[in-house]
Amino acid sequence: MPPIELIGKFAWLLQEQDPVAYPRSLVLLLLYVLAVLLVLVGLRRTFLGLTRRHWLMIALLAVATIILSNVLLVRLNSSDFSPMPINSASALSAPAPQQAQLPATPLLGVVPVLLAAYWFGIGPAFLLSVIGGFWQAVFQGGEITQHFEILWLGLGASYVIRQNYRGNFAKVLRQPIVAGPLVALVTWPIMFLSFFVSALDSASALAAFNYAWPLCLALFVPILAEGVLSGIVAQGLMALLPARQLPLPAQSAPPWARGLNRRMMFAFIPFTAVLTIVLLYAVSATALSEAKRQSIEQMSRDALSAAREVPSFFQTGQGLIREFATDDRLRSPDPAARQ
């Protein structure tokens, strides 16, 4: 686990980027902003029943979101990763490669979002996640699209907490201690898209993938830890204030329990997916192991063949030296003859 910073720098670090120099990143940013606006419009009804007291508590949670966005940070060292790739065609005119830009992960940044989902509904929770993502970009700098992961994490976690399906399984999913890590696992791959698109502006698709994938893997543990710790803290606060929970709508049957066909489908599809992943991993591991073994054997044969040629190399070399030493053309005063 990387080192943890107790308190980050409360300074304006949001980096402005030239939209012309980063066209694909700008397009991704516009798509994210459009998606956020559409979600807020779709959740507008969840704000209608809020009273002045509710808005005051949401404002307090917003302040807590800003503070927790820069407290208990897991910050990876950018020098441990490859710099931003540059196309060979533009390498001469391009500036020096930039270091990888990795956002710090606040381990408690999702706590107010989980509490807002529990107390006020999905809309206020998503609004707090928007505030948290913005202020994380402000405090930490880097690519602003990297901080949209917190928005989708907050939206997914609030939906899981507010779902009204019957059964013990759905009841367990409504607990923040479960919803936080679960949604963190689901939304973690979104980070890859930001890294990939930012590198794609200056490099080929393969080089961008080679740059983005290690960064995405390195952020897996911090993001999962954020979901786990935020879920634990939110679960504890909910246990202290259980009366503030916003009542759920009338419970309904979950999708996997609506008919025999759906029950069989929801049981068969996960089993097939897990089996496919296991078989794919087994075949890939076996193929890689065999390729590695064959490569080692080939290198051993090449090394043995080269070792056997060492005596003849010395003999051939001595003969060539003797031939050059007795060649009269090399001692000729005429430059043309020496050539």
Side-chain angles (χ1 to χ4, degrees):
M1 188 74 178
I4 298 176
E5 296 181 10
L6 183 59
I7 299 178
K9 297 179 180 179
F10 284 88
W12 185 274
L13 299 178
L14 186 61
Q15 298 176 359
E16 296 183 358
Q17 299 183 357
D18 185 5
V20 179
Y22 301 95
R24 293 183 177 87
S25 298
L26 177 61
V27 171
L28 180 62
L29 177 60
L30 293 177
L31 290 176
Y32 277 165
V33 172
L34 179 61
V36 169
L37 294 177
L38 290 177
V39 171
L40 287 175
V41 171
L43 297 175
R44 64 186 183 279
R45 293 184 179 180
T46 59
F47 296 94
L48 299 179
L50 298 178
T51 63
R52 183 178 300 180
R53 181 181 178 184
H54 291 159
W55 281 111
L56 178 61
M57 294 184 63
I58 293 173
L60 294 177
L61 289 177
V63 174
T65 301
I66 297 173
I67 296 174
L68 294 178
S69 295
N70 210 30
V71 174
L72 289 180
L73 301 174
V74 177
R75 191 182 301 276
L76 301 177
N77 190 3
S78 300
S79 60
D80 294 338
F81 301 91
S82 302
M84 183 82 73
I86 298 177
N87 266 333
S88 58
S90 59
L92 296 178
S93 60
Q98 300 179 359
Q99 282 191 343
Q101 297 180 355
L102 285 166
T105 304
L107 296 179
L108 300 179
V110 195
V111 173
V113 177
L114 298 176
L115 292 177
Y118 186 75
W119 291 339
F120 308 114
I122 301 178
F126 183 68
L127 180 62
L128 289 180
S129 65
V130 173
I131 296 173
F134 173 77
W135 283 102
Q136 286 183 31
V138 167
F139 293 142
Q140 301 167 19
E143 290 277 353
I144 191 172
T145 53
Q146 297 172 0
H147 303 281
F148 275 82
E149 182 269 341
I150 186 67
L151 276 66
W152 314 129
L153 193 155
L155 179 63
S158 57
Y159 174 79
V160 172
I161 291 176
R162 298 304 305 173
Q163 50 88 15
N164 60 333
Y165 297 133
R166 292 193 297 265
N168 293 328
F169 180 70
K171 183 178 180 180
V172 170
L173 289 180
R174 281 193 288 268
Q175 307 306 313
I177 197 172
V178 177
L182 179 62
V183 179
L185 288 175
V186 175
T187 58
W188 157 71
I190 297 176
M191 298 291 296
F192 172 81
L193 186 60
S194 174
F195 293 128
F196 179 77
V197 171
S198 62
L200 197 61
D201 283 321
S202 59
S204 63
L206 184 59
F209 181 87
N210 187 55
Y211 165 79
W213 184 240
L215 300 179
C216 186
L217 286 179
L219 288 171
F220 174 75
V221 174
I223 290 178
L224 181 61
E226 177 186 17
V228 172
L229 293 180
S230 297
I232 292 175
V233 174
Q235 189 76 41
L237 293 176
M238 285 170 48
L240 295 176
L241 302 170
R244 293 188 178 273
Q245 180 184 7
L246 181 68
L248 293 173
Q251 292 189 346
S252 60
W256 57 84
R258 298 172 185 173
L260 181 60
N261 292 336
R262 290 196 177 187
R263 290 185 179 183
M264 295 182 62
M265 182 181 65
F266 276 92
F268 178 74
I269 291 179
F271 174 76
T272 304
V274 171
L275 183 61
T276 302
I277 293 173
V278 171
L279 292 177
L280 180 62
Y281 173 78
V283 172
S284 302
T286 304
L288 290 174
S289 177
E290 182 64 20
K292 181 179 179 181
R293 185 186 64 81
Q294 292 182 4
S295 300
I296 294 175
E297 289 181 355
Q298 183 63 37
M299 288 188 293
S300 301
R301 287 193 296 267
D302 293 342
L304 182 59
S305 177
R308 290 174 179 173
E309 295 294 332
V310 170
S312 62
F313 171 78
F314 285 113
Q315 294 175 3
T316 304
Q318 290 175 357
L320 290 174
I321 293 174
R322 189 180 301 110
E323 182 180 351
F324 291 152
T326 58
D327 193 345
D328 295 335
R329 290 176 299 178
L330 295 177
R331 296 192 296 273
S332 174
D334 186 6
R338 289 197 302 269
Q339 292 180 357

